[in-house]
Amino acid sequence: MLNKDQFADNHFIRTIIEEDLQSGKYPAIQTRFPPEPNGYLHIGHAKSICLNFGLAYVYDGKCNLRFDDTNPEKESQEYVDSIKEDVKWLGFEWSGEPRFASDYFDQLFDYAVGLIKEGKAYVDDLSAEEMREYRGTLTEPGKNSPYRERSIEENLELFYKMRDGEFADGSKTLRLKIDMASGNVNMRDPVIYRIRRAHHHNTGDKWCIYPMYDYTHAASDAIENITHSLCTLEFESHRPLYDWVVNNVPVPSEPHQYEFSRLELLYSITSKRKLNQLVSDGHVSGWDDPRMPTISGMRRRGYTPEGLRLFAKRVGISKSENIVDMSVLEGAVREELENTSPRLMAVLNPLKVTLTNFSDGQTQSRRAAFHPNREDLGEREIPVSRTIYIEADDFAENPPKGFKRLTLGGEVRLRHGYVIKCDEAVKDADGNVVELKCSIDHDTLGKNPEGRKVKGVIHWVSAEHAAEIKVRLYDRLFTVERPDAVRGENGEYLPFTDFLNPESMQEITAYAEPVAKNLPAESRWQFERLGYFVTDRKDHKPEAPVFNRTVTLKDSWQGK
Ligand code: ATP
Ligand code: MG
């Protein structure tokens, strides 16, 4: 459930909105989230979603979901579907139906015709390369194209012919006639239409010309009566062009663009293009691989919408650099899971323990709560039998100083069970401990032993009753903080795929309490002392459980 405290507070965009509402400039705000359907959404988009939908929620406004689909070659229905699913899963509802910039192609074409008629746009024959030469640089002004002074009639005729498929791809463009000497390169007669014979996921083969992003984006915002158009800082220098479009096209409203800094997550990557490469080169199993920083990957990993929203709130909104360590994300996820996940015991690296004085009539099981302070989550029976498993590293033959777990001759409490004493360690031919023989103090179920203190408590499962489960242990996908910013000897960027963590996934067989049998997919648990785990959305079956490790209980990574 959403509530108004869940969103980043006191940031400059909220201040602007509050002023605009107070002054009566707008009766209500209208925002939008405008993804291009050319990949799955990632953690950076989650920040933008929480901002745009969150503001609409907090100020009782509306937020549209609009697909900015002007690059047909890279876009697809699969991406459209995944984006809708991710936004909903994060807990948000868009206003009305999802929208597509391509729904406005007719309108955008008419607007362009209008601009030509007013002498504000012209058809240019320069090739892409020539255009680059004419454009100038950051320090030198550009030059006017020799085609800039075509008559309105000629421009109109050529533009219609462009639309009607009479020219080859790339042979002509429509450009705004603004100012080739502008200090802002974006204002040097930007191209607003190009010829591209490509099948479009929404409009099919209707068009062979497609409008460019800046023109489309500003006009679409205005068509939808967006009040505050929020984007990342790299668009700051595009704002004059955004305003130019809003002011020179007869659009029905006057949206304003505001920029905030994009989220960068250390040990991760937030670029759809690079994430796409990980998928297509087979470095991960798909866009929703639990190691991916995509929303669908994080979902599969076991992150919750609440955890991601808490993260977005914590990283905040500003114009200064927003580089965030993975531990902030993991911390938010962990914090939220702590209150909501029932507990169970599972042993990942089992060591067999025989309870030599186990006695059918005498040795008893116990009931235990699923959560220490959530009675509503109920309780379960924890069965015990002669053979149990404990975690291999909860026993040490030569314990380091301060070791509080099981040692030869030492005692430990089985969580929710008895105190046991290790009488013998059985070894194989190579000297490895393969089994412990332990005796139960039958007078310790639910009470302290007489006359001595037993400090250690370890988790365990009954071998006879345990559910055999597959567990996927995930770790960070990359071994360096900024995989896409590492330079080689000659100063060149090294491929980010050089820094993939070869140990980012390990699959093991483990044993869990019987409650792990027959769980549905996406069921979240804390395995006591180990971390949070979730049954996999794709591969888990109630009769063949597959768990993903979402996050460990503590931030253990830095110390590695
Ligand atoms: P990418 O570089 O991954 O392709 P993009 O900005 O091209 O990202 P869009 O689909 O155009 O992806 O983004 C939709 C919205 O999400 C935009 O408003 C964009 O500013 C925002 N967004 C994208 N990446 C981030 C990020 N890392 N942090 C915050 N907002 C982001
Ligand atoms: Mg983009």
Side-chain angles (χ1 to χ4, degrees):
M1 280 295 287
L2 298 183
N3 77 57
K4 293 192 176 181
D5 300 330
Q6 285 177 343
F7 300 97
D9 33 35
N10 297 328
H11 56 77
F12 73 100
I13 299 176
R14 286 187 70 150
T15 308
I16 292 169
I17 289 176
E18 282 173 17
E19 283 168 9
D20 288 349
L21 289 173
Q22 251 161 35
S23 70
K25 184 170 176 189
Y26 306 110
I29 63 161
Q30 171 77 61
T31 57
R32 86 288 171 266
F33 172 63
E36 182 181 355
N38 63 348
Y40 282 57
L41 299 179
H42 54 61
I43 185 72
H45 296 112
K47 169 177 171 168
S48 176
I49 291 170
C50 290
L51 174 66
N52 281 293
F53 285 93
L55 287 171
Y57 181 78
V58 168
Y59 293 104
D60 300 317
K62 288 181 178 158
C63 181
N64 291 352
L65 173 63
R66 182 199 321 133
F67 295 95
D68 241 317
D69 52 351
T70 53
N71 278 311
E73 293 101 326
K74 292 184 182 156
E75 298 163 357
S76 76
Q77 188 62 40
E78 177 194 351
Y79 297 141
V80 170
D81 294 340
S82 72
I83 290 170
K84 287 196 238 174
E85 183 171 357
D86 288 348
V87 172
K88 271 194 249 168
W89 178 76
L90 270 180
F92 299 107
E93 256 179 71
W94 48 86
S95 165
E97 290 296 309
R99 292 142 212 264
F100 295 85
S102 54
D103 292 340
Y104 312 133
F105 281 176
D106 286 307
Q107 177 72 75
L108 294 170
F109 182 83
D110 291 345
Y111 285 152
V113 167
L115 288 169
I116 296 173
K117 286 183 177 162
E118 290 181 33
K120 291 176 179 171
Y122 62 97
V123 173
D124 198 353
D125 295 4
L126 290 184
S127 66
E129 201 180 311
E130 289 166 328
M131 214 177 278
R132 224 169 292 129
E133 283 165 22
Y134 274 78
R135 197 188 213 185
T137 64
L138 284 176
T139 48
E140 286 164 43
K143 284 187 299 189
N144 285 354
S145 160
Y147 305 97
R148 199 175 196 259
E149 298 309 326
R150 276 177 163 149
S151 68
I152 288 174
E153 291 67 34
E154 191 186 356
N155 279 319
L156 274 179
E157 189 186 325
L158 289 172
F159 188 49
Y160 285 124
K161 284 186 172 167
M162 278 171 66
R163 179 198 59 186
D164 296 340
E166 295 196 19
F167 304 119
D169 282 14
S171 63
K172 287 188 168 35
T173 56
L174 185 71
R175 301 179 69 177
L176 296 179
K177 199 187 262 190
I178 304 182
D179 179 9
M180 288 306 292
S182 170
N184 182 340
V185 180
N186 295 307
M187 298 297 272
R188 295 184 190 165
D189 291 11
V191 172
I192 61 167
Y193 269 92
R194 60 192 176 129
I195 308 174
R196 179 69 103 240
R197 285 170 178 78
H199 187 80
H200 189 282
H201 75 98
N202 199 22
T203 58
D205 297 315
K206 176 174 176 192
W207 296 90
C208 68
I209 57 171
Y210 289 99
M212 302 293 286
Y213 175 81
D214 285 312
Y215 169 70
T216 308
H217 189 77
S220 305
D221 278 350
I223 290 171
E224 293 179 10
N225 296 305
I226 302 301
T227 55
H228 300 79
S229 174
L230 313 177
C231 63
T232 37
L233 272 175
E234 66 273 21
F235 290 100
E236 196 166 26
S237 64
H238 296 238
R239 187 172 358 117
L241 176 53
Y242 184 97
D243 290 341
W244 190 99
V245 173
V246 169
N247 293 327
N248 287 277
V249 173
V251 286
S253 78
E254 199 184 326
H256 289 271
Q257 174 180 307
Y258 302 94
E259 307 87 16
F260 62 97
S261 47
R262 65 193 287 125
L263 170 74
E264 240 189 279
L265 188 62
L266 294 180
Y267 292 98
S268 190
I269 269 181
T270 44
S271 147
K272 275 185 278 186
R273 187 177 59 74
K274 289 174 188 155
L275 294 174
N276 199 342
Q277 192 186 330
L278 290 176
V279 176
S280 47
D281 292 356
H283 296 297
V284 293
S285 65
W287 283 98
D288 65 350
D289 186 300
R291 293 165 292 182
M292 290 281 270
T294 50
I295 295 178
S296 55
M298 293 187 290
R299 172 177 182 181
R300 220 177 138 188
R301 175 80 168 250
Y303 290 14
T304 57
E306 294 80 6
L308 290 179
R309 295 202 302 263
L310 179 61
F311 171 72
K313 174 178 170 144
R314 287 199 174 144
V315 302
I317 296 295
S318 74
K319 280 185 180 283
S320 46
E321 248 187 11
N322 195 204
I323 302 174
V324 177
D325 195 81
M326 188 68 101
S327 60
V328 180
L329 176 58
E330 291 175 342
V333 167
R334 189 183 288 123
E335 191 171 313
E336 199 276 323
L337 286 172
E338 155 69 20
N339 298 320
T340 52
S341 302
R343 276 54 168 163
L344 65 74
M345 293 191 285
V347 173
L348 301 188
N349 183 16
L351 174 61
K352 178 177 164 186
V353 173
T354 303
L355 301 172
T356 51
N357 60 342
F358 179 91
S359 144
D360 266 338
Q362 189 188 9
T363 312
Q364 289 172 15
S365 49
R366 257 192 77 186
R367 297 186 70 75
F370 275 125
H371 194 286
N373 37 37
R374 288 276 311 268
E375 240 176 70
D376 58 308
L377 293 180
E379 54 174 38
R380 84 287 194 190
E381 188 77 28
I382 301 180
V384 56
S385 59
R386 174 172 293 272
T387 306
I388 64 170
Y389 296 125
I390 66 168
E391 215 65 70
D393 64 6
D394 277 336
F395 171 78
E397 218 181 347
N398 304 301
K401 220 173 154 228
F403 189 77
K404 290 211 192 79
R405 296 163 279 165
L406 199 54
T407 58
L408 254 185
E411 284 185 302
V412 79
R413 178 175 293 279
L414 299 177
R415 173 94 169 130
H416 303 305
Y418 294 94
V419 168
I420 59 168
K421 179 171 171 215
C422 179
D423 304 309
E424 186 192 344
V426 182
K427 293 184 182 174
D428 66 9
D430 300 327
N432 302 312
V433 176
V434 289
E435 182 190 341
L436 301 178
K437 292 196 188 301
C438 295
S439 47
I440 302 171
D441 181 341
H442 274 104
D443 199 24
T444 54
L445 192 63
K447 59 179 175 179
N448 288 326
E450 296 279 322
R452 62 203 196 277
K453 277 213 165 104
V454 174
K455 280 198 185 140
V457 181
I458 62 173
H459 62 274
W460 60 283
V461 293
S462 159
E464 184 185 311
H465 303 92
E468 191 177 302
I469 61 175
K470 277 211 173 92
V471 177
R472 295 172 180 165
L473 301 171
Y474 292 106
D475 206 334
R476 297 179 183 189
L477 191 50
F478 294 99
T479 53
V480 296
E481 282 192 345
R482 306 178 83 167
D484 49 1
V486 182
R487 290 178 192 266
E489 278 175 11
N490 304 319
E492 78 289 5
Y493 283 116
L494 298 176
F496 70 97
T497 46
D498 286 2
F499 305 100
L500 282 161
N501 176 6
E503 287 162 22
S504 57
M505 206 281 263
Q506 191 197 351
E507 185 174 283
I508 59 171
T509 298
Y511 299 95
E513 282 184 51
V515 288
K517 297 174 187 170
N518 293 312
L519 293 176
E522 291 202 284
S523 173
R524 297 186 177 88
W525 295 82
Q526 185 196 93
F527 290 0
E528 292 206 35
R529 297 177 67 220
L530 297 174
Y532 295 96
F533 293 75
V534 66
T535 50
D536 190 72
R537 264 184 98 193
K538 277 195 170 160
D539 302 334
H540 170 83
K541 293 196 201 73
E543 66 284 7
V546 179
F547 283 86
N548 298 327
R549 182 170 69 197
T550 307
V551 63
T552 54
L553 287 186
K554 280 192 221 115
D555 186 4
S556 55
W557 206 77
Q558 298 299 336
K560 258 193 196 175

